[in-house]
Amino acid sequence: MDGKQSLILNSVAAMVWTMRSDGGTQFLNRRCAEYAGIRDDDCIGWLAAIDPAAVSALVERMHSCHSGERFAAMEARIRRSDGQYRTFFINCSQVAEGLDREAEWCATAIEVDDVVHSPAPFLRSNDDFQADKAGRASEENFRKIINALPTLAWSTRPDGYCDFLSDRWLEYTGFTHEQAEGWAWAAALHPDDAKGLEIHWRTALASGVAVDAEARLRRFDGEYRWFLFRANPLRDDMGNVIKWYGINIDIEDRKRADEALRESERGLRKIINTIPTTAWTTRADGYCDFLSDRWLDYAGLTLEQAEGWGWAAVIHPDDAEEALEYWRAALAAGTPVDTEMRMRRFDGEYRWFLIRGNPLRDDQGSIIKWCGTTIDIEDRKRADEALRTSEFNLRKIINAIPTAAWSTRPDGYCEFVNDRWLDYTGFTPEQAEGWAWAAALHPDDAKRLETHWRGALASGVAVDVEARMRRFDGEYRWFLFRANPLRDQAGNVIKWYGINIDIEDRKRASEALQESERQSRLVVDSIPGLVAVFGPDGEIQGLNQQFLAYLGQTLEEFANWPTNGTVHPDDLTRHVETLDHSLASGQVIDFETRLRRFDGVYRWFQIRGTPTRDGDGKIASWYCLMTDVEDLKRIEAQLRNSKSFLADAQRLSQTGSFAWKLATDEMTWSDETYRLYEFDPDTPISFDLIRTRVHPDNLPALKQVMEQAKRDQVDFDYETRLLMPDRSIKYLRVVAHKQMDKDGQWELRGAVQDVTASRVAEQALSKARADLSHVARVSSLGALTASIAHEVNQPLSGIITNASTCLLMLDGDPPNIEIAKEAAGRAIRDGNRAAEVITRLRALFGKKTVAIETVDLREALNEIIAISWGDLQRAKVILRTDFANGQILVAGDRIQLQQVIMNLLRNAIEALNEVEDRPRHLLIRTELCDDGRVQLSLKDSGVGVGPADLDRIFEAFYTTKNDGMGIGLSVCRTIIENHKGRLWASVDGTPGVTVSFSLPSIPGAANALRSTERQDKNTVRIS
């Protein structure tokens, strides 16, 4: 083998050597010598480092191969320079003619100790590995060597330009050499790994550091498999990198094995990961210059304390002298260290350790350093001692293995199963002996497993197969059956050892994962958006089905979107400019535009797109999602209009809004609320600031409301007064509702309305009513005059109130003409109403027919409640209504019926005014009676009426009030009876009285009332 070939093989990132057919070594590269701690030309020393059984098996395998198209592969242990054996995967191929006349085989060894733990080597073959026979020149010889290596190999120039890939690499990827040359080979990388591997590779090219990385590589059939990428630089005499040589090692099976073994070996890994292995180095004379952190943590020493010979302080006194003599002898002889001693832990406890060390030599063979490890063997010592006491203890340990284990003779006769196997199946050892264990197999799996097992017995190949096994309760679970043969020195199988690993949960998880992936695909396929894929220059590459259906176009038709009206004409220029900018700069696409639907309608879409890049960082394509935002646009416009309308409505109705966070006292006001309180909108709102505006007489009420809001789950509807800076009084009505905000905190939201004008009018009305009541008491009018005065009182009060309001608005500076005109109009309306009342009272007392019309009793009730709202508030009445849903239609005279309701409501308020020891409750209820009549009831909690007076209160001039005239209820009964109705009073044992009347309902209204549920039940208004 010439010098160039040796140089090349010394650069390969694996152990490589050549052999004769009898196993004798001809050449080994530097990695072999460094690993075994021997000279580059010490072929005998290299053979001594390989497991003897492996050498014999490999030679036997080579003799069984008859052509260069076959190769041998196996696993074997090779001793490292420190005396520790590590497991390697060895591939051996016949050397092509012309490479080396003496060497017949070329072998590589790749360490797999972290994945495979085999008790003995085993052989396996692969007909797909072939060696290239062509070539004559030295460069061609190199290619033959590389192609003979049973792995994927390649080389690049110093700048990373790939100029050679082995046949195995090309066969795996399905590339031609031209397709993979340069940087094109990166197309075979998985997209998720390409960027990371490129960064790693370019860093190595810049620094000259060896490459050791993992990534997925696409096979010719499209499947990705994990590979270990290893590469070393080849340097000239000046140290300059002149070439890179690398290999790709398929680690897919190792990856999968890691995943499959992870669950079953979790307990074992925990033990392995906690082994307190430590490392150290010394100079050639034994002076310790390095100790790992684990060593220092164990001993509780600092590096300064342990440096030199200070580490010897932790050796047990009984071991120290012998250990130091052994160490000095090893230093003098240069022989590897392999001894045991006890070492003191930081807490003073001594534990047994295995001390191993090997000398590191230079090219001349001189020792330049010692490297070693200290392995905690305390547990092993104790285990060995326990094992020596009894064979029973050995079986206990085997039975403690967290899986089912067994062994058989070479012919497959089962002679041992551990307790876990027996506990699972419910068998006795006698029931499982021989071949009887197969009774636990699932009938559908038994034949297949038996065939596989007998084939393994005949070939000696390791077993790795899945089957279902019956549990003691009859349930079948999936197990992984694994077994390896134990061979004697001659390579003959003397026993089989196996385990059964429960993989039922893994099977189910795998099925669940497949189902999850299927669901994920369905989700992606059903994305409710339009998806498009563009090339780096904007050319269309694909549209999803939803997009094509929306457009009503084919992919070819959409390619002309700039000119075929797909984009709205008003948006086209902006659309093109924005898209061109993103394509040129690589920035994310994000803008809105209108796209034409198949029926010609344009709708707004939000377009978002991101680029994908190739291994060189260039944009390969754009993925865009178009989301229909037409409805969102309309909602936003409606929201803007709603906000504008709300502001206008608040301004016109003199109503502001607010929000109060009860936990933090943080408040938010609308602009109208600021205007009502006459605060600057930029002023932070606080209760201290609010108190400066509240009338002093209303401050206690404000405090009570605040405390109640924080304490109770109630709504509020109350009035307060403000004392403005000009000493004027402003009346405000405050309505608020307590609720949880989005953060789960209590918040009070409400409205504030300026009711100053209304309250001034009510005060005038109240005074007019008082004056009218005084005149009525001192008058001695007849029944007709009294009735007229009684019934006309409300319209006259309205006239006075509205007239007062009109004067008040006209006296303003400047006068408020609009409100004054509205007040004058209401006065005219009330005057007409008074005239109509008089006309209808005349008809009532003159026994004339009333003016019959359709009356919505619910609407009439609401009007009367609104008119009497001030009286209810002043009397602090808690009003509840319980109305039937929908319209409550009766036939009658609307004015007269409202006069009846007004009279009954005023009587209830007057009765409640005398109550001081209980809440003042008033319930107004409407309902449909069984006979089809509509009934209205007013129930108060006032002073009530005696049983003897229940019928007399409806007689003319009979009254129970000190200032009453005895006219109202008499007139009410006359009106109700003229409407073919009935008016009566009743008591139910609770405070107060219930006054009710019933009227015939309009045909059809009864059915409507029965078919609807009641509403406004228990609606509370707090006055």
Side-chain angles (χ1 to χ4, degrees), residues 658-660 662 713-717 734-740 746-751:
F658 68 90
W660 169 27
L662 302 181
Q713 177 62 28
V714 296
D715 296 341
F716 294 92
D717 189 346
V734 182
V735 181
H737 172 67
K738 188 175 181 181
Q739 65 182 31
M740 286 278 194
W746 284 109
E747 183 179 55
L748 203 67
R749 293 188 178 184

Side-chain angles (χ1 to χ4, degrees), residues 464-540:
D464 194 327
V465 66
E466 296 177 359
R468 285 164 289 183
M469 199 158 67
R470 187 180 65 240
R471 199 166 58 189
F472 63 89
D473 58 1
E475 180 184 348
Y476 285 94
R477 293 178 65 86
W478 280 99
F479 278 80
L480 175 62
F481 286 68
R482 279 185 171 169
N484 279 324
L486 178 63
R487 300 176 185 270
D488 58 18
Q489 294 296 324
N492 300 316
V493 175
I494 58 175
K495 198 178 276 291
W496 285 84
Y497 290 98
I499 57 173
N500 297 346
I501 303 170
D502 190 329
I503 58 171
E504 178 72 22
D505 296 335
R506 191 194 74 183
K507 281 276 189 181
R508 294 180 179 177
S510 178
E511 293 173 357
L513 178 60
Q514 292 174 0
E515 177 63 19
S516 175
E517 290 175 348
R518 189 184 69 82
Q519 292 294 335
S520 298
R521 287 194 296 271
L522 289 175
V523 171
V524 171
D525 292 340
S526 59
I527 291 176
L530 312 184
V531 179
V533 182
F534 295 91
D537 298 328
E539 69 277 9
I540 186 66

Side-chain angles (χ1 to χ4, degrees), residues 652 798 802-803 805-806 809 816-830:
L652 292 174
N802 288 307
T805 302
C806 181
M809 296 298 102
N816 195 329
I817 302 301
E818 291 300 323
I819 297 180
K821 287 170 67 178
E822 291 177 4
R826 289 195 296 271
I828 295 171
R829 181 199 63 193
D830 291 336

Side-chain angles (χ1 to χ4, degrees), residues 24 41 152 183 194 203-204 269 311 314 445 485 503 513 593 595 600 618 631 747 761 927 953 959:
D41 57 351
L152 282 60
W183 292 84
T203 302
R269 285 183 178 275
W311 56 271
V314 302
D445 303 336
I503 58 171
L513 178 60
T593 191
L595 301 178
K618 297 179 181 178
D631 296 336
E747 183 179 55
E927 59 186 331
I953 59 177
T959 181

Side-chain angles (χ1 to χ4, degrees), residues 33-39 79-83 280-286 326-327 329-338 356-363 365-373:
E34 290 175 351
Y35 176 84
I38 61 177
R39 297 192 307 276
R79 188 180 66 242
R80 201 165 56 190
S81 59
D82 58 2
W280 47 266
T281 64
T282 75
R283 301 172 188 168
D285 60 356
Y326 180 87
W327 174 228
L331 290 173
T335 56
V337 175
D338 192 337
R356 282 181 172 170
N358 279 320
L360 180 62
R361 301 176 184 270
D362 58 18
D363 294 338
S366 301
I367 296 175
I368 58 174
K369 207 171 193 62
W370 285 82
C371 301
T373 60

Side-chain angles (χ1 to χ4, degrees), residues 132-252:
D132 190 354
K133 299 178 181 179
R136 299 178 182 86
S138 176
E139 181 65 24
E140 191 62 27
N141 287 342
F142 155 67
R143 292 180 180 271
K144 288 183 179 181
I145 293 173
I146 295 300
N147 284 324
L149 295 178
T151 187
L152 282 60
W154 45 269
S155 67
T156 75
R157 300 171 186 169
D159 60 356
Y161 185 94
C162 183
D163 55 4
F164 169 74
L165 295 119
S166 70
D167 291 346
R168 293 189 185 278
W169 197 100
L170 298 174
E171 289 169 2
Y172 174 84
T173 60
F175 282 24
T176 64
H177 190 275
E178 292 71 18
Q179 290 174 328
E181 193 173 9
W183 292 84
W185 59 269
L189 293 175
H190 193 284
D192 295 343
D193 306 336
K195 189 65 177 178
L197 184 62
E198 178 188 357
I199 294 172
H200 190 89
W201 177 224
R202 292 187 181 278
T203 302
L205 290 175
S207 63
V209 177
V211 175
D212 195 329
E214 295 179 0
R216 284 166 286 185
L217 200 63
R218 188 180 65 241
R219 198 166 59 189
F220 64 88
D221 58 0
E223 179 183 349
Y224 285 94
R225 293 179 66 86
W226 280 98
F227 278 80
L228 176 62
F229 286 67
R230 280 182 173 171
N232 278 328
L234 178 62
R235 302 178 184 270
D236 58 18
D237 294 338
M238 302 298 294
N240 300 316
V241 176
I242 58 175
K243 209 163 192 65
W244 285 84
Y245 292 98
I247 57 173
N248 296 349
I249 304 168
D250 190 329
I251 58 172
E252 177 71 20

Side-chain angles (χ1 to χ4, degrees), residues 278 291-302 305-306 310-315 343-349 353:
T278 59
L291 289 149
S292 66
D293 290 344
R294 193 179 290 275
W295 196 101
L296 298 172
D297 293 342
Y298 174 85
L301 299 178
T302 64
Q305 291 172 328
W311 56 271
V314 302
I315 301 176
M343 293 173 55
R344 187 182 66 241
R345 198 165 59 189
F346 63 90
D347 58 0
E349 180 183 345
F353 279 81

Side-chain angles (χ1 to χ4, degrees), residues 70 680 766:
R70 304 287 293 176
D680 186 341
S766 179

